[in-house]
């Protein structure tokens, strides 16, 4: 990423997205796997570039607002994509060639348009570091852009710092819960054939798509809320937002435990299994499942918007390595969660998420409080 100008650096990383979508038009096993690998590489670098670009085009007063707006726009894809599935694909048991060409042709065109729009991004404002930087340092210096090797070594050095070690716990949690709401939760809804409102699975796909729409609505609401209230976030700190997000997620996990059966993440649950569980407080409900979908998205937006903000505050001088570490931990543990999610019962998955939510929040709050003390010139008693 450092080998290119930053305003153009994101455009080449969008090409793997276009290739991956286009290869589904004529799917072959080799091209699907190859494009999947390229997509993973491109996505990692693109997310890092986006974080750095957002930092370079924000001030301490606008970072929370810009992050919130960015997150709301990003998660609007959940709403648009799942609405498409709900109305176009919901009544089709099989996707024929004509429908596949239509859907993925439109997606390829949209992705190509997005790639072209990335070329139009502006350069960061030519402000002095004293006026523009989010750094705590009072001495502003203009550094040369490091090369790829130096940037990689910088990211490795960051892993040894106290702040990054603590934040990596929070990064890990976001990866685990990303897998839960984006992959596991929809599967759980689809596997609960006996939920109120289902008729022998006829509306199963519809409910899965609707769940995705509602997750996206929670993400968008959270992003817009913290975009509008960005000035208050600066005044009171990021820690209340993350603590509230933790509480929202912990409550959601408990309700999910009550609403779904243990085997729902990895197999279709039969009505007999529900009848065998006599200790339930209430029978599984579609309405409860969709409320949980909303709160999962809402809590996720709280964590991610504040993570962007604290990374920008700590590492504005060279934020790319910090965002690279963030995406490394998030992607690594998201992949690990996908592996165990198809084998581990729901209650244990929720237990892992709850424990990591608590530790992730603690680590974030610890770093945030340390940052506040530095801003206020706090000196410990000797």
């Amino acid at each position: 990423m450092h080998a290119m100008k930053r305003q153009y650096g994101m455009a080449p990383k969008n090409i793997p997205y276009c290739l991956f979508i286009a290869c589904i038009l004529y799917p072959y096993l080799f091209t699907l796997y190859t494009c999947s690998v390229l997509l993973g590489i491109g996505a990692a670098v693109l997310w890092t570039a986006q974080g750095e670009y957002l930092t370079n085009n924000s001030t301490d007063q606008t970072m929370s607002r810009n992050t919130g707006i960015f997150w709301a726009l990003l998660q609007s894809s959940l709403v648009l994509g799942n609405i498409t599935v709900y109305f176009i694909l919901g009544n089709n048991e099989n996707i024929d060639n004509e429908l596949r060409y239509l859907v993925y042709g439109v997606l390829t065109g949209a992705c190509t348009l997005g790639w072209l729009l990335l070329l139009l991004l502006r350069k960061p404002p030519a402000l002095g570091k004293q006026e523009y930087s989010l750094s705590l340092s009072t001495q502003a210096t203009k550094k040369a852009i490091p090369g790829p090797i130096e940037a990689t070594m910088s990211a490795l050095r960051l892993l040894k710092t106290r702040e990054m070690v603590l934040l990596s716990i929070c990064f890990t949690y976001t990866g685990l819960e990303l897998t839960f709401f984006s992959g596991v939760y929809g599967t759980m809804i689809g596997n609960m054939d006996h939920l109120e409102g289902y008729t022998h699975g006829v509306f199963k796909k519809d409910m899965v798509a609707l769940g995705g729409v509602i997750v996206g609505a929670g993400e968008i609401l959270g992003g817009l809320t913290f975009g509008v209230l960005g000035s208050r976030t600066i005044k009171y700190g990021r820690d209340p937002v993350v603590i509230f997000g933790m509480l929202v997620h912990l409550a959601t996990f408990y309700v999910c435990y009550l609403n779904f059966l243990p085997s729902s993440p990895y197999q279709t649950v039969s009505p007999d299994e529900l009848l065998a569980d006599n200790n339930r407080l209430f029978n599984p409900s579609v309405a409860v499942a969709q409320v949980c979908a909303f709160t999962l998205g809402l809590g996720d937006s709280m964590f991610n918007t504040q993570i962007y903000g604290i990374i920008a505050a700590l590492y504005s001088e060279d934020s790319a390595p910090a965002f690279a570490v963030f995406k490394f931990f998030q992607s690594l543990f998201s992949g690990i969660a996908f592996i165990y999610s198809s084998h581990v019962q729901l209650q244990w998955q929720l237990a892992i998420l709850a424990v990591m939510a608590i530790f992730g929040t603690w680590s974030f709050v610890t770093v945030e409080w340390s940052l506040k003390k530095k801003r206020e010139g706090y000196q410990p008693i000797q």
Side-chain angles (χ1 to χ4, degrees), residues 120-195:
L120 303 178
L121 293 175
R122 71 170 188 173
K123 296 181 181 179
L127 300 178
K129 285 287 183 180
Q130 291 275 0
E131 302 170 17
Y132 188 73
S133 176
L134 297 171
S135 174
L136 299 174
S137 173
T138 57
Q139 297 295 325
T141 57
K142 191 172 183 179
K143 298 180 181 179
I145 296 177
I149 296 178
E150 185 180 347
T152 302
M153 295 306 297
S154 178
L156 294 176
R157 287 192 295 269
L158 273 181
L159 288 172
K160 300 178 181 180
T161 63
R162 175 179 178 272
E163 290 82 3
M164 190 55 73
V165 169
L166 287 170
L167 287 176
S168 65
I169 303 174
C170 191
F171 300 162
T172 297
Y173 171 66
T174 63
L176 296 176
E177 58 99 6
L178 170 63
T179 293
F180 184 75
F181 81 77
S182 66
V184 178
Y185 196 71
T187 302
M188 288 164 53
I189 294 176
N191 284 338
M192 299 291 279
D193 248 349
H194 55 272
L195 287 179

Side-chain angles (χ1 to χ4, degrees), residues 106-300:
V106 171
L107 290 176
T108 302
C111 191
T112 303
L113 177 61
W115 171 69
L116 294 174
L117 290 176
L118 288 175
L119 296 173
L120 303 178
L121 293 175
R122 71 170 188 173
K123 296 181 181 179
L127 300 178
K129 285 287 183 180
Q130 291 275 0
E131 302 170 17
Y132 188 73
S133 176
L134 297 171
S135 174
L136 299 174
S137 173
T138 57
Q139 297 295 325
T141 57
K142 191 172 183 179
K143 298 180 181 179
I145 296 177
I149 296 178
E150 185 180 347
T152 302
M153 295 306 297
S154 178
L156 294 176
R157 287 192 295 269
L158 273 181
L159 288 172
K160 300 178 181 180
T161 63
R162 175 179 178 272
E163 290 82 3
M164 190 55 73
V165 169
L166 287 170
L167 287 176
S168 65
I169 303 174
C170 191
F171 300 162
T172 297
Y173 171 66
T174 63
L176 296 176
E177 58 99 6
L178 170 63
T179 293
F180 184 75
F181 81 77
S182 66
V184 178
Y185 196 71
T187 302
M188 288 164 53
I189 294 176
N191 284 338
M192 299 291 279
D193 248 349
H194 55 272
L195 287 179
E196 296 175 8
Y198 282 134
T199 306
H200 303 295
V202 172
F203 303 109
K204 182 188 296 186
K205 292 181 181 178
D206 291 353
M207 290 299 104
V208 172
L210 184 58
V213 172
I214 295 176
V215 169
E219 295 273 13
I220 293 171
L221 177 64
L224 291 178
T225 299
F226 300 118
V228 173
L229 301 179
S231 59
R232 293 185 180 273
T233 302
I234 296 170
K235 182 178 180 180
Y236 298 108
R238 286 171 282 263
D239 44 306
V241 178
V242 172
I243 292 172
F244 183 61
M246 176 199 68
L247 295 176
V248 169
H249 269 181
L250 290 178
T252 303
F253 299 152
Y254 178 66
V255 176
C256 286
Y257 169 73
L258 297 177
N259 195 51
F260 293 93
L261 270 70
S263 61
S264 58
Y266 51 82
Q267 70 180 26
T268 300
V269 180
S270 65
D272 293 337
E273 187 175 349
L274 176 62
L275 293 174
D277 190 351
N278 298 320
N279 298 320
R280 303 189 64 82
L281 293 179
F282 57 86
N283 286 330
S285 166
V286 168
V288 173
Q290 303 302 3
V291 170
C292 289
F294 179 82
T295 53
L296 283 172
L298 182 63
D300 179 67

Side-chain angles (χ1 to χ4, degrees), residues 16 19-24 26-42:
L19 290 176
F20 178 77
I21 297 172
C23 79
I24 302 178
Y26 301 96
Y28 295 97
L29 191 61
F30 173 76
T31 57
L32 285 173
Y33 279 124
T34 302
C35 290
S36 295
V37 173
L38 294 176
L39 176 64
I41 296 172

Side-chain angles (χ1 to χ4, degrees), residues 46-87:
L46 178 62
W47 274 96
T48 302
Q50 287 177 159
E52 184 183 33
Y53 185 82
L54 192 63
T55 300
N56 292 336
N57 284 276
S58 302
T59 66
D60 198 21
Q61 288 71 38
T62 62
M63 186 63 194
S64 294
R65 180 202 67 190
N66 293 348
T67 301
I69 294 172
F70 162 74
W71 195 255
L73 291 173
L74 169 70
Q75 299 301 337
S76 64
S77 61
L78 281 174
V79 175
L80 296 175
N82 282 286
I83 286 177
T84 301
V85 172
Y86 186 84
F87 287 105

